[in-house]
Structures are given as structure tokens and as C-alpha cells.
Amino acid sequence: MKKIPLIIDCDPGVDDVLAIVMAKHVDKFDIKAVTSVSGNVGINLTTRNAQLITGLLDLDCVVARGAEEPLVKPKREAGHVHGADGIGGTFELFPKNCKKELSKFSALNVLRDTLMNSEERVSIVAIGPLTNIGLLLKIYPEVKEKIEVISIMGGAINNGNATPCSEYNFLVDPEAASIVFKSGVPLIMAGINLTVKVTLTKENLEEIQNIGSNLSEIGHKMIVDYTTDDPAIHDPCAVLALSHPDMFKWEDLHVQIDTREGFTQGMSYADYRLRIPKKPNCKVLTDIDLEKFRKLTVDSFK
Ligand code: BDR
Ligand code: CA
């Protein structure tokens, strides 16, 4: 079967790790690169965590270090959700020396070169703040025609998690999110309005634990640690939107990002006007086959 060429831009992050595990498990992707960005924890840790999980899974891809801070705002981290190590305290469970080698090139260059050197269009799963992707689209606009779609975990319609109005990834770098949504590149948005429904059960966690492998031990510990603060498993949704589109319902909408300082900064809002709606720029995911999600999550640790 022909595989979907893919780049994963991420800030691992417990649910980012789950997304990478899922991307390997579904066996529908040719993962060409994993690029890190500062977000859930600082860039040194998100990069190291990307190297750890790609190494543990033995992925044949480039790993590159991305932006250390958002385009305009000062950086902000979420170690209280993802653990001080960003992976729910599981660092010691990874085999020594499993880290995949880091590219000598920056994420920005790896993103550009992977896209420009590909004969076919490449999809991007973007599950951290959109800093690297915003920079890429601004500095190298020629890449746009090489991108099949950007499947984003971020934003929310009429909802939020970091604030009542705003989702974490968009709040961290609203300017980057705004660049991406104005870019004209096809977008899919797995926002909080969807991911708040995406949870695992106690039984799912037991099933993962009972698999009894190193990977399942890491997965179980990190999910238990993470879900004590946030029950929603956000980032794998952006992967599954590409591999299993039939699992989702969506609406085509025009989405904009509020970059202004203040209470609504980072808010993503959709144009629902009946009379003069703007042309849709995004497929906004609205529902998921939760049973299928749970089964795929458990199976991805087998
Ligand atoms: C998003 O923010 C991070 O905490 C998660 O990894 C996810 O990408 C959810 O708002
Ligand atoms: Ca993330």
C-alpha cells in the first residue's frame, strides 16, 4: 500500500509521544522527519524526548531541533501537566542509548528541504505551538505547493483549556497560528471542541499495562501521570484525521486567530454568518468514533 509521506512537528509532551506511537502503529505513513518546538517543556527537553521516542520505535526519519521560543511572546511551559521531564516521569524507563541522532540542521531547514526535495506532496501533523510552521511559511513560501495538508492539534471553537477562550498551543504562539490560518494551505483542525471528548477508560489503561512490554510500561506510566491533570488525549487526533478520516465528523469553516493581547489572545473563532460567511480555510473536526480511538490507542502499544 502506498504510504502517506509525513512530517511530525511536535513538543513532546505525553500526548505528542502517543501521537508518534500511533503514527507508527497505523502503518499508513512514511514518516520522513520529526521536528521539535518549545511548548509543553523547553526546547532541550522536547528535542530530547523526540529523539527518545523515535529511537525507541526505531523510526527511519530525521529528527531536528526547532524554535526555542514563540515568534513574539515570551515562552511558556506546561511541566505541571506533562511532568518536569515532559514525559510523565518516564525518562528512566527508556533504554540507555536509545536516543536517535539529532540532525545538524535546524528544524526550519529540515522542513524546507524535506518538502522541496519530495516529488509528491507531503502532509504535516503539527501538534505543538505553530512557531516552526509559521516561520517556514513566512520565510519559504515556495513550500506551500509541496504541502498536501497541515493537520493541526490546536485551537478550539467556543472553548478553551489554557484559558476559557484559548487552547494551549495557540495561546503559546498566536502570531504563528495566525500565519498558518492565513496561509491558504489546506488545514485540518483537531481543536479542544473535539479533543475534550477523547478520553481513555480505566480498563484501557489496564489493557495497556497488561501488554507488559517496555513501550507499554512507558505508555501506561505517562498516561496515568498526564491524565491526573488533563483527561483529554489531544494530539493523536491530528494523526488519525489523516490515517482514518472516516472516524471523524467535521465542518468546513473560516477560522481566524486573535493575536491581540488580553483575555481572548490565542482564541480561534469560526465564521458562522449565514449571509456573508468567509470562504472556509479549514476542516474543523467536530466528532470522533471514540470506541475505535480507544482500541487503536491500546493496540498501538502491542
Ligand atoms: C495541546 O497542548 C499540549 O499540552 C498538548 O501536547 C496538546 O498539543 C492541548 O492543548
Ligand atoms: Ca503537543
Side-chain angles (χ1 to χ4, degrees):
M1 192 194 59
K2 170 90 186 68
K3 296 203 173 173
I4 303 168
L6 186 74
I7 298 171
I8 302 177
D9 185 70
C10 56
D11 62 334
V14 170
D15 56 336
D16 301 77
V17 169
L18 302 182
I20 295 170
V21 171
M22 187 83 87
K24 174 169 184 193
H25 167 72
V26 296
D27 201 25
K28 292 193 177 175
F29 298 111
D30 169 14
I31 304 173
K32 293 183 170 295
V34 173
T35 50
S36 65
V37 65
S38 150
N40 287 319
V41 283
I43 192 65
N44 288 340
L45 286 177
T46 59
T47 307
R48 181 206 65 181
N49 295 344
Q51 291 176 269
L52 283 174
I53 190 62
T54 51
L56 183 66
L57 296 174
D58 199 21
L59 291 182
D60 180 17
C61 65
V62 179
V63 179
R65 178 187 168 100
E68 185 165 357
E69 49 187 57
L71 296 184
V72 178
K73 288 179 71 176
K75 59 183 166 191
R76 168 189 179 123
E77 296 178 10
H80 56 290
V81 187
H82 296 262
D85 62 358
I87 43 177
T90 62
F91 175 65
E92 297 300 334
L93 297 179
F94 281 82
K96 300 277 164 279
N97 308 324
C98 84
K99 254 169 73 176
K100 206 168 170 57
E101 199 188 330
L102 190 63
S103 168
K104 62 180 196 287
F105 299 108
S106 70
L108 186 60
N109 287 353
V110 166
L111 284 160
R112 180 200 58 196
D113 292 347
T114 306
L115 289 162
M116 295 312 290
N117 294 336
S118 174
E119 277 173 16
E120 51 189 336
R121 290 191 177 171
V122 178
S123 298
I124 299 176
V125 160
I127 50 181
L130 288 165
T131 318
N132 292 335
I133 308 298
L135 277 172
L136 175 76
L137 296 175
K138 270 287 177 204
I139 299 177
Y140 304 113
E142 64 273 21
V143 300
K144 287 183 189 177
E145 61 191 42
K146 292 288 199 163
I147 300 174
E148 177 72 22
V149 63
I150 307 177
S151 183
I152 298 165
M153 190 288 128
I157 305 295
N158 300 328
N159 206 340
N161 62 351
T163 75
C165 307
S166 307
E167 181 279 332
Y168 182 77
N169 289 334
F170 285 13
L171 181 66
V172 169
D173 200 336
E175 284 78 13
S178 182
I179 291 170
V180 173
F181 276 77
K182 286 178 181 163
S183 68
V185 173
L187 305 176
I188 298 173
M189 176 176 145
I192 294 295
N193 50 293
L194 171 85
T195 61
V196 80
K197 305 176 196 174
V198 184
T199 57
L200 296 172
T201 63
K202 215 164 113 276
E203 291 71 36
N204 296 148
L205 287 173
E206 281 166 15
E207 287 175 89
I208 293 171
Q209 186 174 34
N210 290 340
I211 293 166
S213 64
N214 178 228
L215 179 64
S216 72
E217 190 188 0
I218 290 171
H220 177 261
K221 184 169 167 34
M222 66 169 66
I223 297 170
V224 168
D225 187 80
Y226 166 85
T227 50
T228 54
D229 190 274
D230 183 354
I233 311 289
H234 311 277
D235 289 343
C237 296
V239 171
L240 293 174
L242 299 182
S243 60
H244 294 72
D246 295 349
M247 279 176 64
F248 296 90
K249 289 188 181 146
W250 68 80
E251 279 184 86
D252 289 310
L253 291 168
H254 185 88
V255 175
Q256 289 170 271
I257 317 301
D258 189 353
T259 57
R260 298 169 302 172
E261 269 185 52
F263 189 69
T264 55
Q265 190 177 48
M267 180 175 172
S268 45
Y269 49 99
D271 192 340
Y272 281 104
R273 288 175 296 176
L274 295 177
R275 203 159 54 83
I276 37 165
K278 287 199 171 178
K279 189 166 165 267
N281 61 353
C282 182
K283 257 184 199 322
V284 177
L285 303 181
T286 55
D287 214 347
I288 186 170
D289 179 340
L290 189 54
E291 282 319 305
K292 189 152 187 191
F293 173 86
R294 288 175 171 162
K295 180 166 181 349
L296 275 168
T297 302
V298 173
D299 288 350
S300 64
F301 289 99
K302 287 183 176 161

